[in-house]
Amino acid sequence: MTRHACALAAALLLSSCNPLPADTVRAEDHEAFWLWAGVRPQPVLARAHTLYILDGEVAGEPGRYTVLRATIPRVRGPELWLTVRLETLAWQPQVRPAILRRLTDWRAAGGRVGGVQLDFDARTRHLGDYAAFLRSFRAALPPGTRLSVTGLMDWSAHGDSAQLRSLAGIVDEVAIQTYQGRSTIPGYDRYLARLGGFPIPFRIGLVQGGEWRQPAALARNPAYRGTVVFLLNPERR
Amino acid sequence: MTARTRLNAAQDALFDEYGYMVEADQRDPAKAAAADASLRYYLSAYPNGRYADSARGLLRRTAWFAGNDAALARDYAAMLTKPAEPVRVIEELDTKLLDHDKGYQAATGPLLLAVADLQRLRSSVGEEQPYHGSGLSRAELERQRPQFAGRDDLYTYLLAAEALYNRSAAADVLALIPDAVHQSRFTTLQFSRQVLRGLALDMSGDPNAYRFWLSLLPGATGPNQRGAVELAIAQHEEKRGSLDRLLADTSPVRTPALRRIAIAHLAGPDLLRARAAAPRAATDERELALYVLLTRQLGRGRYADFLRDVALLPPAPPQPHAEQTYRLPPDREQEELEEAAVTSGDLAIFRTPRKEPGTGCPDLRATATRLTAAPADPHARLCLAEWWRLSDLDYFPFDQPLAETGLGSGPPRWPGQPYSRLLVYQSLLADARLTPEDRAYTLYRAVWCFGPSGINSCGGDAPKAQRRIWFTELKTRFPQSRWARSLKYHW
């Protein structure tokens, strides 16, 4: 049943279809989204302010760049971020120029591309080394291009403050992911409670259909930049 | 050149502004047909031309544009018999053919059809599955027989898989696949056939099943083969209650991930102590066993045992050095399980636990000693709860079953219940011996189980009305305490 039919039926006390629990992440409540490869575009994209679109991934040993999007996005309106999934930081020499070429192509297609986002699961105890990698990558980005990275909630709990702060001079934002695969990580609220002194502007990453209850303290955190929702195909939610 | 220009023109019309291919009914067939025709013209004129291979490859692209699954299936079936780059072919057909129902229907045998059939036999339970086609019936499989001429081994395997996964018809499987378990090595298909037979033996409760799996082990030398057999053996040991045999140094179950499940989720205190002290056990196995042993001893009231076994703690390790490379290991799941296991650093909660100032709690050993003499001592119980909280044990993962079925789905062989801070606080609040200072702190901590978002992380439960009562008592009876002053919500 569609959501509207459910609401009507519930109002009439007729059927037992399940309206979504209040904590369920609905894309329509948010303004920024991740659009991954293989995810069919949804109508809610039309109201996005910010779009993180997966362009390709760096994988293999050593890593090479594989484009995963059939054509360059031609989106007008929202701010776009060219997102690259990393399976490895050990890159072949041609990977960085390939990504920069894609960035040029994206901008040539007319989109307002704010920057590049790297999606990599950097283990908390290796943050210092990841920062070194990012410093070098950042130096190669053309002017007017920001750098965003995805982050683990674990960074806020166990990250060495000095290492996190070193990241602050290098990346413009961290998108902290509250989900693993397609489900929200239990206990996310306790991790987020430790974001009080987080030294970098951050967004909170949610998964469509997952769980989200916004902690009261978040809105008062000057580094908080809002949510991003990872969109899923309907049959996967 | 003409062909490529037409191809680009077709492409522009086929993808939306996000770079996603539009639905079939929104594509202009004339454009794809035009590109296709140009490519074929080129190939007829220059069958061995410089661009012939590329043109042939691009014909798959125009077939894809046109939604011509039959042509795609024919091409992939042919490519699979002599793959120059097997991984690329597989990746391409996964995303271009086997990602929609008509594509599955178009698959032709024997190899491509077998792959499509096996995917369709997958259950729909479990969120992580990519799309895997509609269900496959026995009748439909029977109609495919001619496509498997000359591949009886593959076809009978498919029939047996359908019988097992669709209908749990173990007897059918045993009739279709004879015992051929005593081989020095197996091809993937041979091995899969024997595993299916083993699963059918398990399903029918055959007394020979265990011996069957043991016999399969010596020849299980191909990729991923040994682990599959070890898992079957481990499940047998769990069912028989022979966890000590499962975890023995000489056990056939050697895969670390499987042993970790047995240690963390299943083993009782005596077995854990034995593994924690086993001289030939791997270091991380010893450490995991000790971590689980000591945590559960404290959490389930075995304080004297804790004081005795804490002597098994190895000395604190030096600072770990950073790894040189950052590659994910090829087996991603292995890494996730490794993340769940403990490292020697985690044993720090027993050596140098975190403390909260102002609670008046002594060190962990002193608390455990007090509890050994007086297990109901309120202050000591409160301090144990503090240690539990500050050691991040609210999310101790090993008291939850790993899955609904299979290894690790049963409870650990421990008496007692998993530790719950909330239950402890509730019990303390009913204890008249609790001092005023401790009572104020207990109220504070009980309410904070539900912070910062109203989600309880302490186990047990207490409705909002109850939290309100605690909150009110803290504020009205202990207004001067720092806990009352700092508590703002009761969620």
Side-chain angles (χ1 to χ4, degrees):
Chain A
M1 286 177 92
T2 66
R3 214 165 282 139
H4 289 143
C6 266
L8 180 63
L12 298 176
L13 300 174
L14 279 179
S15 92
S16 60
C17 58
N18 299 322
L20 297 173
D23 290 346
T24 304
V25 176
R26 298 174 357 113
E28 294 74 18
D29 297 335
H30 302 267
E31 298 174 337
F33 308 104
W34 272 296
L35 183 63
W36 228 239
V39 178
R40 187 174 304 115
Q42 304 170 17
V44 74
L45 286 171
R47 34 188 308 214
H49 289 203
T50 315
L51 268 182
Y52 298 85
I53 301 180
L54 181 74
D55 185 63
E57 73 174 5
V58 182
E61 288 185 27
R64 47 174 245 270
Y65 189 60
T66 306
V67 173
L68 294 175
R69 190 155 292 276
T71 62
I72 307 276
R74 301 184 307 263
V75 185
R76 304 299 170 92
E79 179 183 65
L80 303 182
W81 287 75
L82 190 159
T83 300
V84 177
R85 167 108 193 102
L86 307 186
E87 297 285 322
T88 172
L89 297 184
W91 292 8
Q92 290 191 38
Q94 62 267 37
V95 168
R96 187 187 289 183
I99 295 175
L100 295 174
R101 250 197 318 279
R102 293 292 290 180
L103 180 62
T104 308
D105 290 345
W106 276 45
R107 284 178 163 149
R112 183 167 54 104
V113 185
V116 173
Q117 183 183 64
L118 299 181
D119 176 20
F120 177 64
D121 289 344
R123 295 293 153 217
T124 306
R125 52 182 181 265
H126 300 316
L127 271 181
D129 304 314
Y130 188 39
F133 172 87
L134 291 170
R135 188 178 297 117
S136 163
F137 180 76
R138 210 243 155 77
L141 290 175
T145 308
R146 280 171 284 147
L147 180 58
S148 165
V149 294
T150 55
L152 304 176
M153 289 195 296
D154 200 55
W155 291 5
S156 62
H158 298 120
D160 173 354
S161 313
Q163 291 186 334
L164 260 187
R165 253 188 291 282
S166 71
L167 220 52
I170 302 164
V171 306
D172 298 288
E173 80 169 20
V174 177
I176 302 176
Q177 291 170 316
T178 60
Y179 57 95
Q180 207 161 36
R182 307 287 179 254
S183 350
T184 303
I185 297 169
Y188 67 89
D189 57 332
R190 300 234 295 180
Y191 277 116
L192 298 184
R194 296 185 180 143
L195 285 174
F198 201 75
I200 312 166
F202 66 91
R203 284 184 177 272
I204 302 292
L206 313 174
V207 63
Q208 188 173 27
E211 196 190 304
W212 176 237
R213 201 187 287 194
Q214 176 145 339
L218 203 55
R220 294 193 297 271
N221 189 325
Y224 179 55
R225 294 291 182 268
T227 53
V228 198
V229 176
F230 188 91
L231 298 175
L232 298 176
N233 286 328
E235 60 269 14
R236 298 280 300 281
R237 281 185 246 152
Chain B
M1 267 293 99
T2 315
R4 279 197 166 271
T5 309
R6 291 191 180 165
L7 198 56
N8 290 343
Q11 200 153 285
D12 277 342
L14 285 164
F15 295 94
D16 65 17
E17 68 265 47
Y18 301 102
Y20 194 86
M21 188 150 81
V22 302
E23 298 302 316
D25 54 9
Q26 288 166 26
R27 295 178 223 162
D28 181 353
K31 293 224 165 80
D36 190 272
S38 292
L39 288 165
R40 289 187 191 280
Y41 178 76
Y42 171 83
L43 281 170
S44 67
Y46 306 101
N48 301 308
R50 195 193 307 177
Y51 305 107
D53 278 342
S54 167
R56 270 185 277 272
L58 287 172
L59 282 174
R60 289 203 305 278
R61 186 163 266 251
T62 55
W64 177 51
F65 288 166
N68 188 345
D69 293 319
L72 277 179
R74 256 193 328 267
D75 280 349
Y76 292 136
M79 287 165 83
L80 282 175
T81 59
K82 38 173 170 54
E85 284 179 292
V87 174
R88 288 206 188 223
V89 177
I90 291 167
E91 283 177 351
E92 187 181 311
L93 71 89
D94 263 354
T95 53
K96 302 297 185 287
L97 186 71
L98 295 183
D99 70 333
H100 57 286
D101 206 36
K102 289 218 179 71
Y104 280 87
Q105 298 297 328
T108 58
L111 256 183
L112 180 62
L113 183 55
V115 167
D117 284 346
L118 286 172
Q119 288 200 24
R120 290 171 64 191
L121 284 173
R122 283 186 192 159
S123 138
S124 297
V125 173
E127 303 164 26
E128 301 298 325
Q129 302 271 17
Y131 179 68
H132 47 76
S134 58
L136 176 68
S137 72
R138 166 89 191 217
E140 189 177 346
L141 196 47
E142 289 280 1
R143 289 195 292 274
Q144 293 177 359
R145 193 182 288 266
Q147 300 210 45
F148 290 95
R151 291 306 310 267
D152 198 55
D153 54 347
L154 185 53
Y155 187 61
T156 50
Y157 174 73
L158 292 171
L159 288 173
E162 190 279 331
L164 190 81
Y165 294 118
N166 269 359
R167 297 178 281 115
S168 302
D172 287 8
V173 176
L174 297 175
L176 281 163
I177 300 183
D179 185 325
V181 84
H182 295 286
Q183 285 178 209
S184 58
R185 45 188 305 278
F186 298 91
T187 64
T188 301
L189 179 58
Q190 287 168 343
F191 182 76
S192 302
R193 285 166 58 91
Q194 294 308 303
V195 167
L196 216 53
R197 185 177 168 87
L199 293 175
L201 289 172
D202 281 347
M203 192 179 271
S204 53
D206 191 304
N208 290 322
Y210 181 64
R211 228 186 352 263
F212 175 89
W213 292 113
L214 283 177
S215 306
L216 191 50
L217 208 50
T221 53
N224 300 314
Q225 290 181 0
R226 195 186 162 94
V229 183
E230 286 186 19
L231 176 57
I233 293 172
Q235 286 178 185
H236 271 269
E237 303 294 17
E238 182 189 2
K239 253 212 290 282
R240 296 161 163 226
S242 323
L243 292 172
D244 50 340
R245 197 161 60 187
L246 200 176
L247 285 172
D249 287 331
T250 53
S251 161
V253 181
R254 297 186 215 145
T255 304
L258 295 176
R259 296 178 68 92
R260 275 198 285 269
I261 291 172
I263 286 175
H265 289 270
L266 300 173
D270 294 334
L271 185 50
L272 284 178
R273 187 178 314 111
R275 294 318 297 168
R280 295 202 332 234
T283 305
D284 64 317
E285 182 169 313
R286 281 205 307 274
E287 287 172 350
L288 176 63
L290 190 56
Y291 179 88
V292 175
L293 176 70
L294 297 177
T295 302
R296 285 218 182 100
Q297 283 172 335
L298 287 171
R300 297 180 188 226
R302 300 165 75 105
Y303 308 116
D305 290 346
F306 168 80
L307 287 170
R308 177 197 62 217
D309 292 332
V310 77
L312 292 170
L313 268 180
Q319 277 296 326
H321 67 88
E323 288 172 40
Q324 297 308 306
T325 61
Y326 316 96
R327 290 174 212 140
L328 289 178
D331 179 357
R332 185 85 197 258
E333 262 170 38
Q334 178 77 16
E335 199 217 26
E336 279 161 19
L337 281 164
E338 278 167 9
E339 288 293 329
V342 304
T343 65
S344 47
D346 296 289
L347 291 172
I349 61 172
F350 306 107
R351 288 192 205 97
T352 51
R354 289 167 54 198
K355 306 261 301 255
E356 174 102 33
T359 54
C361 287
D363 70 26
L364 180 62
R365 273 174 223 231
T367 298
T369 306
R370 177 74 192 138
L371 287 167
T372 307
D377 182 301
H379 184 73
R381 293 175 69 203
L382 182 58
C383 290
L384 184 64
E386 269 300 276
W387 172 80
W388 193 270
R389 176 180 74 87
L390 291 165
S391 306
D392 279 331
L393 287 171
D394 281 341
Y395 295 105
F396 182 68
F398 306 128
D399 283 332
Q400 312 301 322
L402 213 47
E404 282 178 41
T405 57
L407 192 68
S409 56
R413 287 10 174 206
W414 279 73
Q417 295 299 316
Y419 186 80
S420 155
R421 275 199 296 131
L422 186 57
L423 285 175
V424 171
Y425 298 142
Q426 286 168 320
S427 159
L428 287 174
L429 290 172
D431 190 326
R433 297 171 297 163
L434 201 58
T435 65
E437 295 79 19
D438 282 352
R439 188 172 181 88
Y441 191 57
T442 303
L443 289 166
Y444 176 80
R445 278 294 159 215
V447 173
W448 249 107
C449 280
F450 293 83
S453 307
I455 301 169
N456 178 18
S457 47
C458 303
D461 194 22
K464 203 160 180 179
Q466 177 62 72
R467 281 126 64 186
R468 177 169 259 279
I469 292 174
W470 290 335
F471 180 88
T472 309
E473 182 187 337
L474 178 59
K475 293 285 204 185
T476 55
R477 278 188 64 192
F478 308 99
Q480 297 312 312
S481 89
R482 56 184 279 211
W483 311 117
R485 284 195 300 254
S486 82
L487 188 60
K488 291 195 180 41
Y489 312 104
H490 64 277
W491 295 284

